[in-house]
Amino acid sequence: MREYSPDLTPQWKRPKPVPEVPADTDLVVEVAGTDFCGAVVACEAGTVTLEDRFGKRRVFPLEPRGFLLEGAVVTLTRPSRAPAAPLRTASGSVAVPGARARVARAGRIYVEGRHDAELVERVWGDDLRIEGVVVEYLEGVDDLPAVVADFAPTADARLGVLVDHLVPGSKESRIAASVTSSDVLIVGHPYVDVWQAVKPSALGIAAWPVIPPGQDWKTGVCRALGWPENTGAAWQHVLSRVRSYKDLEPVLLGRVEELIDFVTAQGVSAK
């Protein structure tokens, strides 16, 4: 018979027990000792698969005290039932049901106009609230250097700016080049207006019409497509046809994700 060997480790040296949490689908955890944070998409014997907000998946062992849940150390266990497919936000990231909006960060994302802000909110709104990112609009970029100076960005309060028609030789590109702070990121898309970032297929048209220089672009689009010349109503129609990131051109998707990454970079504090 095996002799009983008591644990003589002092009580104060013994690791404190931590909660055991089932690795249910969409549970968002951080891997202890790393900066990887993701939602559970699969859990098999001895391992759990996590997917981060960019769709990157990694497999981790179900080790005791191996994860953080809302900042607290936990041990993940295999759930009693197989996980279902994860829910997605309009941006394609993993949804976090019931998650509270984060307190707003000191950093901001600026876009040119109200339509840009509404489009960003429609696709990335859920992500922005979880990350605590506020989006504001400028009503044009002519005064961008003064706006940046007034904002006074720092490493803990970064500023991201999305600019329309940011192409070589344009007025917008010259203004953007005048801002040199390392705590400001200015990116843009090549379209005259953010309307063009919506795929024509989402609207049931073959392509966005080409409007000759000198005409108001939005009014020209309405005329060319046979829409009433009410640009406000036309925009609401365009916006209503955007249901997810799949309805937007990739060039805009990449730029907005880049701005979110910049203002939420590790080490940038919340306000």
Side-chain angles (χ1 to χ4, degrees):
M1 179 181 292
R2 184 176 181 180
E3 295 183 1
Y4 170 70
S5 178
D7 184 355
L8 300 179
T9 305
Q11 188 67 34
W12 61 274
K13 283 189 175 182
R14 297 178 188 178
K16 295 181 180 179
V18 299
E20 292 188 350
V21 178
D24 292 326
T25 300
D26 295 331
L27 179 73
V28 177
V29 294
E30 181 180 349
V31 181
T34 76
D35 60 359
F36 191 90
C37 180
V40 175
V41 294
C43 186
E44 301 174 351
T47 65
V48 62
T49 303
L50 303 180
E51 180 176 290
D52 69 10
R53 62 188 299 272
F54 304 108
K56 181 179 180 180
R57 295 189 177 190
R58 291 180 60 183
V59 179
F60 299 94
L62 288 175
E63 295 179 342
R65 309 170 66 89
F67 302 87
L68 302 178
L69 177 61
E70 297 182 351
V73 178
V74 298
T75 296
L76 289 187
T77 61
R78 191 175 183 183
S80 57
R81 64 182 186 281
L87 300 175
R88 299 283 173 174
T89 67
S91 71
S93 61
V94 176
V96 185
R100 294 182 179 179
R102 178 174 176 165
V103 175
R105 293 175 181 266
R108 292 288 186 273
I109 291 176
Y110 284 168
V111 297
E112 280 208 45
R114 181 170 57 85
H115 293 178
D116 306 68
E118 290 176 344
L119 186 60
V120 169
E121 163 62 27
R122 189 169 187 89
V123 175
W124 288 274
D126 290 337
D127 306 73
L128 292 169
R129 279 180 284 279
I130 289 176
E131 295 289 352
V133 178
V134 175
V135 175
E136 301 179 7
Y137 62 90
L138 299 168
E139 297 184 346
V141 295
D142 289 354
D143 297 325
L144 181 59
V147 170
V148 171
D150 183 65
F151 185 87
T154 67
D156 290 326
R158 291 180 171 182
L159 182 61
V161 184
L162 179 68
V163 177
D164 298 342
H165 198 230
L166 192 62
V167 295
S170 67
K171 174 191 74 173
E172 291 82 0
S173 67
R174 291 192 294 272
I175 293 173
S178 70
V179 178
T180 58
S181 170
S182 61
D183 297 314
V184 179
L185 176 65
I186 301 175
V187 298
H189 55 74
Y191 308 119
V192 174
D193 192 278
V194 77
W195 289 24
Q196 289 180 291
V198 179
K199 290 181 178 178
S201 58
L203 296 164
I205 60 176
W208 284 102
V210 177
I211 308 303
Q215 292 187 30
D216 178 74
W217 189 86
K218 294 184 179 72
T219 302
V221 166
C222 291
R223 289 173 182 166
L225 294 177
W227 296 349
E229 293 183 23
N230 181 332
T231 57
W235 167 244
Q236 290 306 313
H237 169 67
V238 173
L239 187 62
S240 71
R241 303 304 295 270
V242 177
R243 295 175 176 82
S244 77
Y245 72 97
K246 297 177 182 179
D247 297 317
L248 300 183
E249 298 289 356
V251 67
L252 179 67
L253 297 175
R255 300 296 77 74
V256 175
E257 294 285 354
E258 192 175 353
L259 290 176
I260 294 174
D261 286 349
F262 181 75
V263 300
T264 60
Q266 190 173 10
V268 178
S269 64
K271 187 176 182 179

